[in-house]
Amino acid sequence: MPYWSTSGLSPQEQVSYWGDVVCEAFTPLAPHRGRSQRDRSSVPDGVPGWVDSQELAVVNCAEISSVTQVLKHGRREVTRAPLDAVFVNLQLEGTCLAEQDERRSLITPGSITVFDTTRPYQMEYRETESREMWKVLSFRIPRELWNPDAVTGTSIDTTTGAGALVGSMMSVLWKESSTLDPGALATLDRSFVDVLTAVAGSTTNTRESETRDNATRMMLRHYIRTALPSGRVSADAAAREAMISTRTMHRLLNAAGTTFSECVRHERMNGAIRDILTADPAVTLGEIAARWGFYDSSHLTRTFRRQFDCTPMEYRTRHRDAGTRTPS
């Protein structure tokens, strides 16, 4: 069972090994860690990461973990791919901004996206909000087994419906393949491909458009949430992050009954609530207010009184005693 890791290598050696070995192991990928990725990472230099791989019957599967980075399968990589394949990626930890054929999705833990190696695609994997490495379970399927009408580059939810069956099959095949005899493994292997292509191929054009718009709105909220602690968040910067025009961004938000300013206020308040409920008691209210863009602790307190009819500390006591979950 092949296993690759950059452990024990210097930062410079990690970059070389990750790009020349790991990112060439399944299909050519060009890794990139620019300033934007390094600023979002707990590790600004090098590329710590590992890949654990195993072969099933016709499908190859791998568990991969690393730090924030962009992985691009461009036109050059398409021509160098040793075989035509489809990759099915189940996000386990962290997030992924995925794009193929002008479809964009924010892939969160518990969601799947599919990429076709015969066309360019791009993935920006990001660490968790606590700056832990991202992790993904990736299956490589020969393209001749794939339904040509199935949609790629969009998110499939594995928590409900038929998507839940796909997610369960991926987990079982990864964890239990070594315990199965070759005949049973081949049957499950092909059954997984059939189920996956049926689920992916059932997406209608209308649903695809709705899914894409919802994913873009999620990307915008995710950007606002992560950028707020660094300072002012502008509409233009958020639109660039989601790879759309500012006008399109406002249209998408208006269609969902909200505005960019309302999204910022919502994420600012949710961020303050999370910190109030989970931060170390030594962290002051003024520090929380500054982190989320309030003028001072008095401004944050007035906002809490207006919205919840209590002070932040009263809110903390009330909800900690009740065991209330923090906002997502």
Side-chain angles (χ1 to χ4, degrees):
M1 185 165 62
Y3 178 81
W4 298 270
S5 174
T6 62
S7 177
L9 302 177
S10 69
Q12 185 175 358
E13 290 171 330
Q14 287 179 354
V15 172
S16 176
Y17 185 79
W18 189 258
D20 296 341
V21 178
V22 177
C23 290
E24 298 289 328
F26 304 103
T27 195
L29 293 170
H32 173 71
R33 298 196 77 209
R35 179 176 178 181
S36 175
Q37 288 76 42
R38 294 195 302 271
D39 287 347
R40 291 193 180 98
S41 176
S42 60
V43 183
D45 300 313
V47 191
W50 52 263
V51 177
D52 191 4
S53 173
Q54 58 183 315
E55 194 79 32
L56 302 181
V58 297
V59 173
N60 179 282
C61 54
E63 194 171 65
I64 308 162
S65 183
S66 188
V67 292
T68 300
Q69 64 189 271
V70 174
L71 294 173
K72 184 176 181 180
H73 185 76
R75 295 190 182 280
R76 179 171 175 269
E77 286 73 31
V78 168
T79 61
R80 293 195 298 110
L83 55 85
D84 293 345
V86 171
F87 279 89
V88 185
N89 295 346
L90 171 60
Q91 196 73 29
L92 302 177
E93 297 174 19
T95 57
C96 176
L97 297 179
E99 180 177 9
Q100 183 165 45
D101 299 333
E102 298 184 352
R103 300 185 185 97
R104 294 178 295 272
S105 298
L106 175 64
I107 312 302
T108 55
S111 294
I112 289 172
T113 193
V114 180
F115 299 100
D116 185 343
T117 63
T118 64
R119 302 191 304 280
Y121 61 86
Q122 178 172 295
M123 306 169 291
E124 180 173 2
Y125 282 107
R126 295 179 177 179
E127 297 163 34
T128 67
E129 290 190 2
S130 59
R131 299 294 181 92
E132 299 294 329
M133 294 201 305
W134 54 265
K135 185 188 294 184
V136 66
L137 183 59
S138 181
F139 280 32
R140 184 183 67 194
I141 302 170
R143 195 173 184 277
E144 61 265 23
L145 302 180
W146 184 248
N147 177 359
D149 296 326
V151 174
T152 60
T154 58
S155 176
I156 299 173
D157 184 10
T158 66
T159 61
T160 59
L165 179 58
V166 175
S168 296
M169 294 182 76
M170 290 182 73
S171 297
V172 170
L173 283 168
W174 171 250
K175 295 176 182 177
E176 305 297 335
S177 61
S178 61
T179 68
L180 301 172
D181 66 72
L185 185 59
T187 299
L188 288 174
D189 191 326
R190 186 54 193 259
S191 296
F192 162 70
V193 175
D194 290 341
V195 171
L196 173 66
T197 54
V199 172
S202 66
T203 305
T204 65
N205 290 334
T206 300
R207 182 182 170 190
E208 178 184 331
S209 176
E210 292 174 352
T211 299
R212 182 172 62 248
D213 289 350
N214 287 334
T216 303
R217 284 188 282 265
M218 288 176 63
M219 291 168 64
L220 290 166
R221 288 187 176 275
H222 180 80
Y223 171 73
I224 293 169
R225 183 182 310 162
T226 56
L228 270 171
S230 301
R232 183 175 176 272
V233 180
S234 71
D236 289 343
R240 283 196 302 271
E241 181 72 11
M243 296 175 287
I244 56 176
S245 68
T246 305
R247 178 179 296 181
T248 298
M249 180 193 72
H250 289 308
R251 178 183 60 78
L252 289 175
L253 294 177
N254 289 338
T258 188
T259 66
F260 179 76
S261 296
E262 288 174 352
C263 288
V264 171
R265 286 194 293 270
H266 178 79
E267 295 302 333
R268 176 178 287 129
M269 195 63 182
N270 272 1
I273 290 172
R274 282 194 298 272
D275 280 2
I276 286 167
L277 294 180
T278 64
D280 188 285
V283 177
T284 68
L285 190 61
E287 290 172 328
I288 294 175
R291 171 178 169 81
W292 292 104
F294 294 90
Y295 296 120
D296 51 29
S297 59
S298 297
H299 181 207
L300 179 57
T301 298
R302 290 195 300 273
T303 304
F304 262 78
R305 285 192 180 280
R306 185 167 56 250
Q307 186 163 337
F308 303 113
D309 196 27
C310 66
T311 68
M313 295 304 102
E314 290 169 344
Y315 185 95
R316 172 190 284 176
T317 301
R318 178 190 306 171
H319 288 271
R320 280 187 171 178
D321 291 345
T324 303
R325 293 179 58 188
T326 57
S328 59

